Amino acid sequence: MAITLYDLCGRDERLRFSPYCWRVRMALAHKGLEYTTVPWRFLDKEALAFADYDKVPVLTDGDTVVTDSFEIMRYLDKAYPANPVLGEGVSYQRVHFFKLYIDRSVTPALFRTVALDLLAAIHPDDRSYFRETREARFGMRLEDVNNPEQGRVQLKKLLAPVRDQLRSSPFLDGETPSGADYLLFGSMMWAYTVSLEPLVDANDPVDEWFKRMLEVHEAVAGKAITIRDL
């Protein structure tokens, strides 16, 4: 069946920066599945009406429609069981916990690091919406949220267990990347795509891991358009 991914784009249609869409893109690459993407912007709600959803990622696989990045990853494991991404049972519970850690802790620290760069990367027609919704979420202006130095300090502390894990294996899931790697990488790729701000220290185990992640699966992420190319 034909797989289609509705994928967030920025001021240039080729700029794809959603952390949640990157999770799915890496999972699809992990499984060797071919797919097409449909660029989507924040205010294009009508385009997702068929999914009864108002944000991306949305994945269609033939007549099947799946929303939410983690649910899409789980769907891919069930529909295409070769090369599992999340696993089942205890493995699934552990990677779900890691997802919550990324969503609740790591992603907010990254947002503080690149908030204004992210705003600039968004299509001009979407910026007012993005500012309004994010400022309501944080309870302050984006200019006050944005603090790259504080974001990096916070991120360094949060990534301490990740750093320790990467000292004993090239990827979080061992010798090859899988679900935990894609969850963290999605958020790191989000920030890397829209900003030139350094996220971690050079030669940090997390920095070395990120470089490896850019090259896996025929460099699907490494070949992506970022603000460096625009």
Side-chain angles (χ1 to χ4, degrees), residues 111 129-145:
F111 188 85
Y129 166 84
F130 182 84
R131 176 183 285 277
E132 179 182 340
T133 55
R134 273 52 182 182
E135 289 183 349
R137 183 181 301 173
F138 284 90
M140 64 181 73
R141 297 170 67 248
L142 286 180
E143 287 78 4
D144 297 322
V145 175

mmCIF file of all heavy atoms in Angstrom, residues 111 129-145:
data_model
loop_
_atom_site.group_PDB
_atom_site.id
_atom_site.type_symbol
_atom_site.label_atom_id
_atom_site.label_comp_id
_atom_site.label_asym_id
_atom_site.label_seq_id
_atom_site.Cartn_x
_atom_site.Cartn_y
_atom_site.Cartn_z
ATOM 1 N N PHE A 111 13.624 24.075 23.107
ATOM 2 C CA PHE A 111 12.813 25.218 22.672
ATOM 3 C C PHE A 111 13.393 26.516 23.222
ATOM 4 O O PHE A 111 13.473 27.523 22.506
ATOM 5 C CB PHE A 111 11.367 25.052 23.139
ATOM 6 C CG PHE A 111 10.434 26.083 22.575
ATOM 7 C CD1 PHE A 111 9.855 25.915 21.333
ATOM 8 C CD2 PHE A 111 10.134 27.237 23.292
ATOM 9 C CE1 PHE A 111 8.995 26.870 20.806
ATOM 10 C CE2 PHE A 111 9.282 28.195 22.780
ATOM 11 C CZ PHE A 111 8.707 28.015 21.527
ATOM 12 N N TYR A 129 0.209 32.986 14.555
ATOM 13 C CA TYR A 129 -0.418 31.836 15.207
ATOM 14 C C TYR A 129 0.581 31.139 16.128
ATOM 15 O O TYR A 129 0.258 30.797 17.273
ATOM 16 C CB TYR A 129 -0.922 30.859 14.146
ATOM 17 C CG TYR A 129 -1.287 29.489 14.683
ATOM 18 C CD1 TYR A 129 -2.530 29.253 15.242
ATOM 19 C CD2 TYR A 129 -0.360 28.441 14.646
ATOM 20 C CE1 TYR A 129 -2.865 27.998 15.746
ATOM 21 C CE2 TYR A 129 -0.679 27.194 15.147
ATOM 22 C CZ TYR A 129 -1.930 26.974 15.691
ATOM 23 O OH TYR A 129 -2.247 25.732 16.199
ATOM 24 N N PHE A 130 1.780 30.922 15.625
ATOM 25 C CA PHE A 130 2.789 30.229 16.423
ATOM 26 C C PHE A 130 3.111 31.030 17.683
ATOM 27 O O PHE A 130 3.168 30.474 18.783
ATOM 28 C CB PHE A 130 4.054 30.024 15.592
ATOM 29 C CG PHE A 130 5.135 29.279 16.306
ATOM 30 C CD1 PHE A 130 5.130 27.891 16.332
ATOM 31 C CD2 PHE A 130 6.156 29.949 16.961
ATOM 32 C CE1 PHE A 130 6.120 27.192 17.008
ATOM 33 C CE2 PHE A 130 7.151 29.261 17.628
ATOM 34 C CZ PHE A 130 7.132 27.877 17.657
ATOM 35 N N ARG A 131 3.310 32.327 17.531
ATOM 36 C CA ARG A 131 3.632 33.165 18.687
ATOM 37 C C ARG A 131 2.502 33.110 19.714
ATOM 38 O O ARG A 131 2.746 32.915 20.921
ATOM 39 C CB ARG A 131 3.886 34.606 18.241
ATOM 40 C CG ARG A 131 4.140 35.568 19.395
ATOM 41 C CD ARG A 131 4.323 36.989 18.915
ATOM 42 N NE ARG A 131 5.625 37.187 18.314
ATOM 43 C CZ ARG A 131 6.746 37.438 19.008
ATOM 44 N NH1 ARG A 131 6.708 37.464 20.341
ATOM 45 N NH2 ARG A 131 7.884 37.639 18.397
ATOM 46 N N GLU A 132 1.273 33.289 19.258
ATOM 47 C CA GLU A 132 0.130 33.318 20.170
ATOM 48 C C GLU A 132 -0.014 32.014 20.936
ATOM 49 O O GLU A 132 -0.200 32.016 22.167
ATOM 50 C CB GLU A 132 -1.141 33.600 19.375
ATOM 51 C CG GLU A 132 -2.401 33.625 20.214
ATOM 52 C CD GLU A 132 -3.648 33.865 19.380
ATOM 53 O OE1 GLU A 132 -3.514 34.382 18.253
ATOM 54 O OE2 GLU A 132 -4.746 33.523 19.865
ATOM 55 N N THR A 133 0.076 30.889 20.246
ATOM 56 C CA THR A 133 -0.126 29.603 20.903
ATOM 57 C C THR A 133 1.029 29.247 21.834
ATOM 58 O O THR A 133 0.805 28.736 22.937
ATOM 59 C CB THR A 133 -0.330 28.485 19.873
ATOM 60 O OG1 THR A 133 0.775 28.468 18.953
ATOM 61 C CG2 THR A 133 -1.620 28.694 19.097
ATOM 62 N N ARG A 134 2.240 29.539 21.439
ATOM 63 C CA ARG A 134 3.395 29.194 22.284
ATOM 64 C C ARG A 134 3.526 30.142 23.471
ATOM 65 O O ARG A 134 3.898 29.719 24.569
ATOM 66 C CB ARG A 134 4.681 29.180 21.460
ATOM 67 C CG ARG A 134 4.982 27.848 20.788
ATOM 68 C CD ARG A 134 3.825 27.328 19.988
ATOM 69 N NE ARG A 134 4.078 26.018 19.375
ATOM 70 C CZ ARG A 134 3.211 25.402 18.603
ATOM 71 N NH1 ARG A 134 2.029 25.952 18.332
ATOM 72 N NH2 ARG A 134 3.488 24.218 18.092
ATOM 73 N N GLU A 135 3.214 31.392 23.278
ATOM 74 C CA GLU A 135 3.269 32.311 24.411
ATOM 75 C C GLU A 135 2.186 31.979 25.433
ATOM 76 O O GLU A 135 2.413 32.111 26.648
ATOM 77 C CB GLU A 135 3.137 33.746 23.915
ATOM 78 C CG GLU A 135 4.385 34.213 23.179
ATOM 79 C CD GLU A 135 4.337 35.659 22.721
ATOM 80 O OE1 GLU A 135 3.249 36.274 22.780
ATOM 81 O OE2 GLU A 135 5.392 36.174 22.299
ATOM 82 N N ALA A 136 1.039 31.501 24.966
ATOM 83 C CA ALA A 136 -0.003 31.060 25.896
ATOM 84 C C ALA A 136 0.466 29.833 26.677
ATOM 85 O O ALA A 136 0.197 29.690 27.874
ATOM 86 C CB ALA A 136 -1.285 30.737 25.126
ATOM 87 N N ARG A 137 1.203 28.966 26.012
ATOM 88 C CA ARG A 137 1.694 27.743 26.653
ATOM 89 C C ARG A 137 2.739 28.054 27.728
ATOM 90 O O ARG A 137 2.718 27.468 28.816
ATOM 91 C CB ARG A 137 2.296 26.820 25.600
ATOM 92 C CG ARG A 137 2.792 25.486 26.117
ATOM 93 C CD ARG A 137 3.394 24.658 25.001
ATOM 94 N NE ARG A 137 2.428 24.401 23.938
ATOM 95 C CZ ARG A 137 2.730 23.816 22.785
ATOM 96 N NH1 ARG A 137 3.978 23.426 22.547
ATOM 97 N NH2 ARG A 137 1.794 23.605 21.870
ATOM 98 N N PHE A 138 3.638 28.977 27.425
ATOM 99 C CA PHE A 138 4.728 29.295 28.352
ATOM 100 C C PHE A 138 4.387 30.420 29.314
ATOM 101 O O PHE A 138 5.108 30.644 30.289
ATOM 102 C CB PHE A 138 5.992 29.654 27.572
ATOM 103 C CG PHE A 138 6.700 28.460 26.986
ATOM 104 C CD1 PHE A 138 6.400 28.004 25.708
ATOM 105 C CD2 PHE A 138 7.656 27.773 27.721
ATOM 106 C CE1 PHE A 138 7.043 26.910 25.167
ATOM 107 C CE2 PHE A 138 8.310 26.672 27.198
ATOM 108 C CZ PHE A 138 7.991 26.233 25.912
ATOM 109 N N GLY A 139 3.336 31.171 29.028
ATOM 110 C CA GLY A 139 2.952 32.271 29.900
ATOM 111 C C GLY A 139 3.883 33.456 29.825
ATOM 112 O O GLY A 139 3.976 34.239 30.781
ATOM 113 N N MET A 140 4.580 33.613 28.703
ATOM 114 C CA MET A 140 5.490 34.750 28.521
ATOM 115 C C MET A 140 5.794 34.926 27.046
ATOM 116 O O MET A 140 5.515 34.042 26.232
ATOM 117 C CB MET A 140 6.797 34.532 29.304
ATOM 118 C CG MET A 140 7.627 33.348 28.840
ATOM 119 S SD MET A 140 9.151 33.122 29.811
ATOM 120 C CE MET A 140 8.471 32.501 31.347
ATOM 121 N N ARG A 141 6.366 36.082 26.714
ATOM 122 C CA ARG A 141 6.715 36.358 25.330
ATOM 123 C C ARG A 141 7.840 35.433 24.866
ATOM 124 O O ARG A 141 8.679 35.000 25.667
ATOM 125 C CB ARG A 141 7.149 37.824 25.185
ATOM 126 C CG ARG A 141 6.070 38.819 25.504
ATOM 127 C CD ARG A 141 6.596 40.239 25.580
ATOM 128 N NE ARG A 141 7.038 40.721 24.267
ATOM 129 C CZ ARG A 141 8.302 40.979 23.944
ATOM 130 N NH1 ARG A 141 9.276 40.787 24.839
ATOM 131 N NH2 ARG A 141 8.601 41.421 22.745
ATOM 132 N N LEU A 142 7.864 35.137 23.572
ATOM 133 C CA LEU A 142 8.920 34.281 23.042
ATOM 134 C C LEU A 142 10.296 34.884 23.296
ATOM 135 O O LEU A 142 11.268 34.158 23.513
ATOM 136 C CB LEU A 142 8.720 34.052 21.546
ATOM 137 C CG LEU A 142 7.586 33.112 21.134
ATOM 138 C CD1 LEU A 142 7.526 32.999 19.619
ATOM 139 C CD2 LEU A 142 7.752 31.733 21.766
ATOM 140 N N GLU A 143 10.374 36.206 23.263
ATOM 141 C CA GLU A 143 11.656 36.865 23.532
ATOM 142 C C GLU A 143 12.149 36.577 24.945
ATOM 143 O O GLU A 143 13.362 36.587 25.193
ATOM 144 C CB GLU A 143 11.521 38.376 23.310
ATOM 145 C CG GLU A 143 11.435 38.793 21.861
ATOM 146 C CD GLU A 143 10.064 38.573 21.238
ATOM 147 O OE1 GLU A 143 9.125 38.150 21.968
ATOM 148 O OE2 GLU A 143 9.921 38.813 20.027
ATOM 149 N N ASP A 144 11.227 36.340 25.862
ATOM 150 C CA ASP A 144 11.609 36.012 27.236
ATOM 151 C C ASP A 144 11.872 34.519 27.409
ATOM 152 O O ASP A 144 12.670 34.109 28.260
ATOM 153 C CB ASP A 144 10.512 36.470 28.204
ATOM 154 C CG ASP A 144 10.317 37.981 28.179
ATOM 155 O OD1 ASP A 144 11.328 38.702 28.062
ATOM 156 O OD2 ASP A 144 9.164 38.436 28.251
ATOM 157 N N VAL A 145 11.184 33.709 26.608
ATOM 158 C CA VAL A 145 11.454 32.266 26.636
ATOM 159 C C VAL A 145 12.839 31.987 26.073
ATOM 160 O O VAL A 145 13.594 31.164 26.604
ATOM 161 C CB VAL A 145 10.393 31.503 25.809
ATOM 162 C CG1 VAL A 145 10.749 30.016 25.739
ATOM 163 C CG2 VAL A 145 9.014 31.686 26.398
#
